[in-house]
Amino acid sequence: MKNVSMLRISGVPSSVYFGKKKQPDNTGTASQTMTDSVQLSGKAAEGKPAHSRTKPSLSRIFASFLAMTAPAMATAQQTSPPDKPGFVVAKPDDEALKDIQCPGDGVTATQRARNIQRVVASVPAIRISSSTFTNFQDKGDQVAHGSGIVVDAQKGILLTNAHIVEAPQGFRIQDIKVTIHNPGKEPVTTTARGKHVSGQRDWMLLQLAPPKEGNLALTPAVFHTKDVPITCPAIAVGYPMALESAAEVSPPIATLGTISGNNFREKNVPPAYDIPFYVTDAAINPGNSGGALATPNGYIVGMNTYTYPQKATTSVSYKAADLVQYLREQGLEPLTDEQPGEAAAEPKKPDNHKK
């Protein structure tokens, strides 16, 4: 008779084995303990019942059940899915996060103030007057205020929001006045006309009228076209106080906030308007439209467009990368911090060479 391999199951008494009797040392007969053990050899292996000398106990029946089901249990454990749905502990990807930087990191308060003054010089105030006539009589006029961005200083071209130059129904635009605020100098006001309106975005180019005498000093904006991470500082520059001021020339206002979101998309809009925006908590009000969203180092990352009245800390700005693409499509070449021109170049410190 061939003995089958012996299998021991954890939790079963050591006297219980399957397939082969346990022989005591130096004897040819089985012990009484093993006589009572379950045997799966001999007649039982051939399919015939094997009779033990004692009445089968409950433990022996349970052991027999384990012997028959153990291979199936092992197979079931091997074929079960190794991973089950549940919760795992996420490990931060430090390699992906280590290069995140905010534009203007390390800029001192003095440098920031100087840089924003330069942004003010590149963000003029815009005033649009429109009137309506009935029976050849002037029945009233409307005045709208906004802001703009100098995108080509040599040609005198500004970028702004188209909605601030739209006349109300029944009105027609009389004139567009632009006021330049250069640091340390008196504001200079000139006129402008519409040059191009984007059919897909709320963008418009204005052409400044050339001065009759002398030169009109313009400071071109410098754009930062890379995405700015959330929580980075953002400064909105524009003229929201124009509506509160009786004077024709209102002061520039700079409000400090952060980039709250850099991939906001408006819902229920045509596909042409479905592009990502910046969301900022910098205070923006009527008159800021068309103005700059700047960084502490003086680069423009967006154009302020609208705010939610019911959400006082949520305002939306077009991204600089989309603005620069539009300007290039119009044959312009705005300055960026990737290829800065002379106006964007940082002042160099003199080298200290030993004589």
Side-chain angles (χ1 to χ4, degrees), residues 202-355:
D202 186 13
W203 301 335
M204 183 175 187
L205 295 179
L206 294 180
Q207 174 70 66
L208 294 178
K212 297 180 180 179
E213 297 180 0
N215 297 316
L216 183 61
L218 298 177
T219 302
V222 183
F223 293 92
H224 177 83
T225 56
K226 295 181 180 179
D227 263 7
V228 180
I230 58 175
T231 73
C232 286
I235 303 169
V237 179
Y239 300 87
M241 301 301 292
L243 299 179
E244 306 297 331
S245 175
E248 191 168 307
V249 179
S250 61
I253 300 295
T255 54
L256 176 63
T258 59
I259 298 292
S260 307
N262 60 4
N263 195 30
F264 171 76
R265 291 178 180 268
E266 185 61 85
K267 296 181 179 179
N268 302 322
V269 296
Y273 288 87
D274 187 16
I275 62 174
F277 291 84
Y278 283 127
V279 175
T280 177
D281 61 355
I284 295 177
N285 295 284
N288 275 115
S289 293
L293 186 67
T295 59
N297 56 359
Y299 296 147
I300 294 177
V301 297
M303 182 171 67
N304 304 319
T305 300
Y306 64 90
T307 187
Y308 290 94
Q310 68 275 23
K311 301 176 182 177
T313 58
T314 303
S315 302
V316 177
S317 305
Y318 280 106
K319 287 188 173 184
D322 297 314
L323 299 174
V324 169
Q325 180 179 352
Y326 164 69
L327 295 172
R328 288 173 176 169
E329 291 173 354
Q330 305 310 311
L332 303 173
E333 193 56 43
L335 297 178
T336 68
D337 58 348
E338 298 174 355
Q339 297 178 345
E342 294 182 0
E346 296 291 339
K348 296 182 179 180
K349 296 181 179 180
D351 295 332
N352 296 323
H353 295 289
K354 295 181 180 181
K355 295 182 180 180

Side-chain angles (χ1 to χ4, degrees), residues 22-65:
K22 180 179 180 181
Q23 300 291 342
D25 295 338
N26 301 324
T27 180
T29 60
S31 64
Q32 181 63 34
T33 303
M34 292 310 300
T35 303
D36 294 338
S37 65
V38 178
Q39 302 177 33
L40 300 179
S41 59
K43 293 182 180 180
E46 298 174 359
K48 298 180 180 180
H51 299 283
S52 61
R53 297 180 182 179
T54 60
K55 186 177 180 180
S57 63
L58 181 62
S59 62
R60 291 201 303 271
I61 295 175
F62 177 69
S64 177
F65 171 76

Side-chain angles (χ1 to χ4, degrees), residues 124-129 155-158 173-180 188-195 206-212 216 218 248:
I126 301 175
R127 177 187 174 96
I128 299 96
S129 300
K155 296 180 181 179
I157 297 178
L158 310 181
I173 294 178
Q174 283 187 316
D175 60 21
I176 302 174
K177 292 184 179 180
V178 176
T179 302
I180 311 297
V188 178
T189 300
T190 184
T191 59
R193 60 178 178 83
K195 180 177 176 62
L206 294 180
Q207 174 70 66
L208 294 178
K212 297 180 180 179
L216 183 61
L218 298 177
E248 191 168 307

